[in-house]
Amino acid sequence: MHIPEEEKTKILKEINDRVTILEEKIRKYGAFTVIANSIYRFFTAPTQEIQYRKFEGSALVPEYLALICLKFPFEYGIRELSNAHELPGDLHTIETLAKEIIALFTSLHNFSYKPFNANGSISEMDYIALSISNEELHVRNETFEEHHWERLENLYKPYNDYFKQKLGFTVDEAIRLCLTIQDYMSEKSTEALIGRKDHVKEMLDEIRAYKYRNVPTKNFYPPEWLEQYKQMADEDISFHLRSSMALSFIARLGHDLSFTAAEIAAMEDIDLATVDKFLKVFSLNFGEVDTNFGLPTIFHPLKDKPLAHHDGRYICPSIFLMDYALDRIFAKTLYADNKKKDAYGKWRHNYLLDTAMGYLIGVLKTNSFHTNLFYGEYELDGIIFIDNDVFFVEAKGHQINDRAKKGFFDRIQEHVDEIVEASHAQAIRAYEYLKGNPQAEFRDKRYKPVILDGSKFKNAYFISLTLEGIKSISTSLKAGNSLGLFGPDTFPWIVSLYDLKVVCEHMEGPAYLIHYIHRRREFFKRKTYLVDDELDLLAFYLKQSLRFDDLDLQYGEGNRYFKLTSYHETFNKYYDGQQGLLKKPLPKMVHFAKAQIKTLVHALETANIENAIDAAIHILELGVSTQKTLIANIERTKKRYRKDGDNHDFRIVGDDVADGKTFMLSYWTGHDLPAFLAFFYENILSQYHKETTDEFFALLDVGKSDYKFIKVHYLTKVR
């Protein structure tokens, strides 16, 4: 919502007043002291188990404070020693002021958009702009650390020699150095903490020995202190020593967490000259930040140079900006070279398409797919066939522009046009060309003919791939949006490579992935529910198949909006556990279906017969109570078959809870004999014509104990 100008002026004054006080406090102490204590508070983990951080603005504090420090000439700091007793309180005040400034700026920023219209409906462009700019302001790296390193390495590795020449280091060296800096800071903070505790214990033991047995101390203490300790209770001595060492720890932290090129080179098998070049490329010197800086900004110098430097020592205010800055400088270097930029643009596209197709094929387990097809004057990036389903895949390797990330409508609209609308238009064009054509002619990139049969598939899905995350767009656009994009039946799955990887890693088989895409498409037909992240949709699918009857019970019905709960921390913990960062790894989230249903679905997925995958999808679509009834009827029917060896069957009706389509499942047991197969087909055809359901599945299982499907018939009135 917009606010009056006088309210904006008031907020700006509140920010500026706090900045003035903040700068006065900061300049009392050494710059590295202020930055290091902020880093320690929010980023380093003093134990072996990672600390989980709720961002809420606080993760931006070290960046903001570093930028304030970098406005001024470097100060070593004297007050840390001369007025050490004031340091903890001042650091707390500094932290509080920085948090308040960031919170006020965030409010001011948010007030510049109108995400909801006067009638309560969503204003898509404002909503997207608010979301994408807030994400750039508050979120540091859109995916899990290991995934980001993997993409950086694979995307830029072909240019290793070029980067070595232009920048002085390769992609591999840059990644290793980023990780080494992270390890250095973590190890040094842990060493400092443990050292402080050990030293306190050592001093306490020798002071007690002096107090009770007059044993001389190894460390030097002023005589008046020793006499005073004799009069103090042991717990008071302990408190005094711990307080003194805590002050020493805080005052020394700037030295402990800062490093030289030689110290980093000593930890990693990379020559000193390379380390030196790397640190210089990614560092800012004190006095380099504009002296007028005070108001937080979405983009700032640390996003390109995340290290602060003085006299050969460096400190990293935000470890989360290291890989972010790597990505930016590698891309900028290539795009700035007229001889490289076009080829690099094509490589981004090909890398995206090939990697994504690998993820999809790995789950769908089909050999029927093609990439880089051409027809007439048009092209199709990828197509996948499985059972009665076809996937039209389009990839866009575009880089999201900084102006769009700042929330400017013009550039966001260009990205919607270039990445989303153009991609989907390509897929729809290919669908219309292929649909119903038994001899659709394509050619591959070697100009060899490829003939595809478009007369058999019954269900089409559209996937628009992006190399960079655009969840602010992909999770904000509903079917029937005011931008005029997408029909309800051709609504695309707009997904980044990062999110696609996570989704595919959480799918237990092809039926689950197809069902997820189907349920996701139905979700975006609903106006009531809002979501911020693809992984929140994934979590709700795994927990309850994105069924709206369950969601309505959880969130209520009516015209209000409800935002789905975030599960990002759950996924964070799982992937951190996979990297060995947790003492007790978190198990992977799995689909909530009962084991008996999963066994049935798997049997159909692996039956390798026509229509079996679609039957499995429809079984996943059944509600929990209907699935329970289905399993009970199957067990009863197979028991009768084992007993008398005769054929038996039952029928069960299911409903697609989203679009009102009905389907019936007819389950048969019997023998694998030609005469019975003919009898089976005649009967289910008769049943189908008598029923009013839109879709009819008939499954023939000849296994007496285990499942052994040999035939699945799929009859439908849906076109």
Side-chain angles (χ1 to χ4, degrees):
M1 59 175 289
H2 283 266
I3 57 173
E5 284 300 319
E6 57 267 25
E7 184 65 24
K8 289 183 182 179
T9 302
K10 179 183 175 183
I11 294 175
L12 282 171
K13 184 179 184 305
E14 289 183 26
I15 292 175
N16 291 328
D17 289 346
R18 284 168 171 80
V19 170
T20 300
I21 300 170
L22 177 66
E23 291 180 355
E24 290 175 358
K25 290 285 185 183
I26 283 177
R27 300 201 70 185
K28 289 170 60 177
Y29 302 104
F32 277 9
T33 300
V34 173
I35 296 171
N37 278 277
S38 187
I39 293 169
Y40 185 80
R41 172 67 178 83
F42 296 114
F43 291 110
T44 58
T47 65
Q48 292 300 312
E49 184 163 344
I50 193 167
Q51 291 182 336
Y52 285 96
R53 300 159 293 272
K54 292 185 178 179
F55 289 92
E56 299 174 355
S58 63
L60 308 184
V61 170
E63 293 174 28
Y64 180 72
L65 292 178
L67 290 165
I68 295 292
C69 290
L70 286 161
K71 290 171 57 173
F72 306 107
F74 182 80
E75 294 283 350
Y76 283 102
I78 302 299
R79 295 288 292 271
E80 288 92 324
L81 302 176
S82 62
N83 295 81
H85 63 282
E86 295 180 5
L87 180 58
D90 281 345
L91 288 176
H92 177 73
T93 301
I94 287 169
E95 173 191 316
T96 301
L97 287 167
K99 282 184 176 181
E100 290 174 353
I101 290 166
I102 291 167
L104 285 166
F105 173 77
T106 300
S107 297
L108 191 65
H109 173 73
N110 292 348
F111 285 142
S112 62
Y113 297 98
K114 292 182 178 179
F116 296 96
N117 296 315
N119 62 2
S121 63
I122 290 177
S123 172
E124 275 92 357
M125 188 54 69
D126 276 82
Y127 194 89
I128 291 170
L130 175 60
S131 176
I132 199 170
S133 56
N134 261 320
E135 182 180 354
E136 184 62 31
L137 175 63
H138 290 286
V139 177
R140 294 296 171 263
N141 293 338
E142 57 190 309
T143 190
F144 310 105
E145 184 180 28
E146 192 68 23
H147 294 181
H148 199 108
W149 294 128
E150 178 185 303
R151 197 205 78 166
L152 278 175
E153 181 178 12
N154 293 333
L155 180 60
Y156 294 113
K157 200 168 186 177
Y159 299 95
N160 260 340
D161 293 341
Y162 177 74
F163 290 138
K164 188 70 173 180
Q165 177 188 358
K166 296 286 287 188
L167 301 173
F169 47 84
T170 66
V171 175
D172 175 66
E173 288 169 340
I175 291 173
R176 287 163 59 195
L177 287 170
C178 286
L179 294 173
T180 301
I181 290 170
Q182 182 174 332
D183 290 343
Y184 180 93
M185 294 173 64
S186 180
E187 288 176 16
K188 289 298 180 180
S189 63
T190 302
E191 287 175 11
L193 182 64
I194 293 173
R196 185 187 83 185
K197 290 179 178 178
D198 290 345
H199 197 39
V200 167
K201 184 178 183 303
E202 177 188 330
M203 289 191 299
L204 185 58
D205 288 344
E206 67 177 357
I207 288 172
R208 282 173 175 168
Y210 174 81
K211 175 181 177 181
Y212 293 111
R213 303 193 303 276
N214 284 320
V215 177
T217 61
K218 294 179 181 179
N219 293 291
F220 172 76
Y221 302 89
E224 62 271 21
W225 285 23
L226 292 174
E227 291 306 312
Q228 186 178 0
Y229 286 146
K230 280 188 174 184
Q231 310 303 317
M232 294 170 62
D234 286 358
E235 56 268 26
D236 293 334
I237 296 172
S238 176
F239 177 78
H240 181 264
L241 291 175
R242 284 188 284 108
S243 299
S244 298
M245 288 306 299
L247 287 175
S248 174
F249 173 79
I250 293 170
R252 285 182 49 85
L253 203 55
H255 176 79
D256 290 335
L257 295 191
S258 61
F259 49 85
T260 65
E263 287 171 322
I264 297 300
M267 285 187 68
E268 189 67 36
D269 187 22
I270 297 177
D271 64 275
L272 182 58
T274 298
V275 176
D276 194 54
K277 288 177 182 177
F278 174 87
L279 295 177
K280 286 179 178 176
V281 166
F282 289 105
S283 62
L284 290 167
N285 292 310
F286 285 83
E288 278 196 61
V289 171
D290 190 335
T291 55
N292 293 318
F293 174 82
L295 196 68
T297 56
I298 292 176
F299 280 93
H300 53 70
L302 284 172
K303 289 197 170 183
D304 290 307
K305 295 186 174 186
L307 302 173
H309 167 255
H310 175 73
D311 196 23
R313 294 197 73 83
Y314 300 83
I315 195 165
C316 181
S318 174
I319 57 175
F320 297 145
L321 286 179
M322 291 300 297
D323 52 347
Y324 179 96
L326 278 190
D327 202 356
R328 287 174 67 83
I329 195 170
F330 287 149
K332 283 181 179 179
T333 302
L334 290 166
Y335 279 127
D337 189 328
N338 289 330
K339 295 180 179 179
K340 296 284 185 183
K341 64 179 182 180
D342 290 341
Y344 171 60
K346 291 178 182 177
W347 164 242
R348 284 175 66 95
H349 171 272
N350 293 338
Y351 167 77
L352 168 62
L353 179 62
D354 293 344
T355 306
M357 288 291 285
Y359 294 155
L360 292 167
I361 298 304
V363 177
L364 295 173
K365 297 179 173 61
T366 175
N367 294 320
S368 184
F369 65 92
H370 301 272
T371 58
N372 300 304
L373 295 181
F374 300 87
Y375 59 105
E377 60 186 84
Y378 304 113
E379 62 179 319
L380 172 62
D381 284 340
I383 189 167
I384 305 171
F385 293 94
I386 177 172
D387 207 0
N388 299 296
D389 307 298
V390 61
F391 297 83
F392 295 89
V393 181
E394 290 293 341
K396 295 295 180 184
H398 293 63
Q399 192 174 32
I400 307 301
N401 183 275
D402 286 357
R403 184 173 172 81
K405 292 179 180 180
K406 291 178 182 177
F408 286 95
F409 288 3
D410 58 345
R411 201 63 185 95
I412 293 173
Q413 185 63 60
E414 286 183 32
H415 282 318
V416 170
D417 295 342
E418 296 167 349
I419 301 174
V420 178
E421 187 173 11
S423 172
H424 190 54
Q426 284 178 267
I428 293 297
R429 187 187 302 118
Y431 166 76
E432 292 173 346
Y433 173 73
L434 180 62
K435 177 66 175 175
N437 186 349
Q439 292 284 314
E441 296 182 11
F442 293 85
R443 64 186 186 279
D444 64 19
K445 58 184 177 183
R446 296 182 180 86
Y447 297 96
K448 291 182 179 180
V450 177
I451 307 300
L452 300 180
D453 185 354
S455 65
K456 293 183 178 179
F457 70 83
K458 295 182 175 68
N459 308 299
Y461 299 95
F462 304 89
I463 302 178
S464 294
L465 301 168
T466 65
L467 188 55
E468 296 191 15
I470 57 168
K471 61 185 178 184
S472 299
I473 297 174
S474 64
T475 61
S476 299
L477 291 175
K478 299 273 189 175
N481 56 78
S482 62
L483 302 182
L485 301 174
F486 320 132
D489 297 324
T490 60
F491 191 86
W493 182 20
I494 306 167
V495 61
S496 73
L497 189 63
Y498 290 136
D499 287 341
L500 179 65
K501 177 180 176 68
V502 176
V503 170
C504 288
E505 287 179 349
H506 282 77
M507 292 295 131
E508 298 174 53
Y512 296 88
L513 179 58
I514 300 171
H515 188 230
Y516 171 71
I517 298 173
H518 164 68
R519 295 306 312 164
R520 187 188 185 283
R521 183 164 67 186
E522 298 305 321
F523 174 86
F524 281 100
K525 294 178 184 178
R526 300 274 294 232
K527 306 296 184 184
T528 305
Y529 301 113
L530 305 177
V531 65
D532 285 335
D533 198 296
E534 183 72 34
L535 300 191
D536 297 336
L537 287 171
L538 171 62
F540 269 83
Y541 173 74
L542 296 175
K543 289 175 67 67
Q544 55 194 63
S545 283
L546 277 171
R547 285 183 65 102
F548 303 109
D549 43 0
D550 293 336
L551 290 174
D552 287 339
L553 286 173
Q554 184 172 350
Y555 290 99
E557 299 182 64
N559 296 322
R560 295 177 298 168
Y561 292 103
F562 298 93
K563 184 168 287 187
L564 299 191
T565 303
S566 173
Y567 282 84
H568 206 271
E569 187 169 312
T570 302
F571 288 106
N572 264 335
K573 288 183 177 180
Y574 167 71
Y575 282 106
D576 283 336
Q578 294 300 297
Q579 295 179 56
L581 298 176
L582 296 180
K583 292 178 181 177
K584 185 178 180 181
L586 197 71
K588 181 192 288 188
M589 289 182 69
V590 297
H591 194 272
F592 76 104
K594 298 293 185 183
Q596 297 96 321
I597 288 294
K598 290 188 176 183
T599 300
L600 173 58
V601 167
H602 181 70
L604 286 164
E605 287 177 327
T606 56
N608 198 29
I609 56 176
E610 190 177 358
N611 304 317
I613 297 291
D614 277 345
I617 295 166
H618 279 71
I619 287 169
L620 289 172
E621 180 69 9
L622 295 171
V624 174
S625 61
T626 308
Q627 288 180 346
K628 184 177 180 180
T629 302
L630 171 65
I631 293 299
N633 286 336
I634 289 175
E635 291 174 348
R636 188 180 305 112
T637 301
K638 288 176 78 70
K639 182 177 180 180
R640 293 172 63 191
Y641 179 48
R642 286 194 300 271
K643 183 176 181 180
D644 59 22
D646 202 357
N647 62 281
H648 298 279
D649 71 287
F650 69 89
R651 283 171 284 172
I652 193 167
V653 175
D655 291 287
D656 185 318
V657 296
D659 58 20
K661 288 190 301 184
T662 58
F663 67 91
M664 176 170 284
L665 185 70
S666 179
Y667 195 102
W668 288 64
T669 57
H671 297 285
D672 185 5
L673 298 172
F676 178 70
L677 292 177
F679 171 78
F680 167 64
Y681 182 69
E682 289 173 4
N683 272 269
I684 63 105
L685 196 61
S686 174
Q687 290 176 1
Y688 169 68
H689 288 304
K690 291 177 183 178
E691 299 293 345
T692 58
T693 53
D694 299 304
E695 297 177 299
F696 190 96
F697 285 89
L699 284 61
L700 176 55
D701 176 10
V702 299
K704 291 192 174 181
S705 296
D706 296 334
Y707 293 114
K708 188 178 179 182
F709 295 104
I710 63 168
K711 199 72 178 178
V712 176
H713 287 291
Y714 176 23
L715 306 169
T716 179
K717 299 180 176 71
V718 179
R719 292 290 182 266

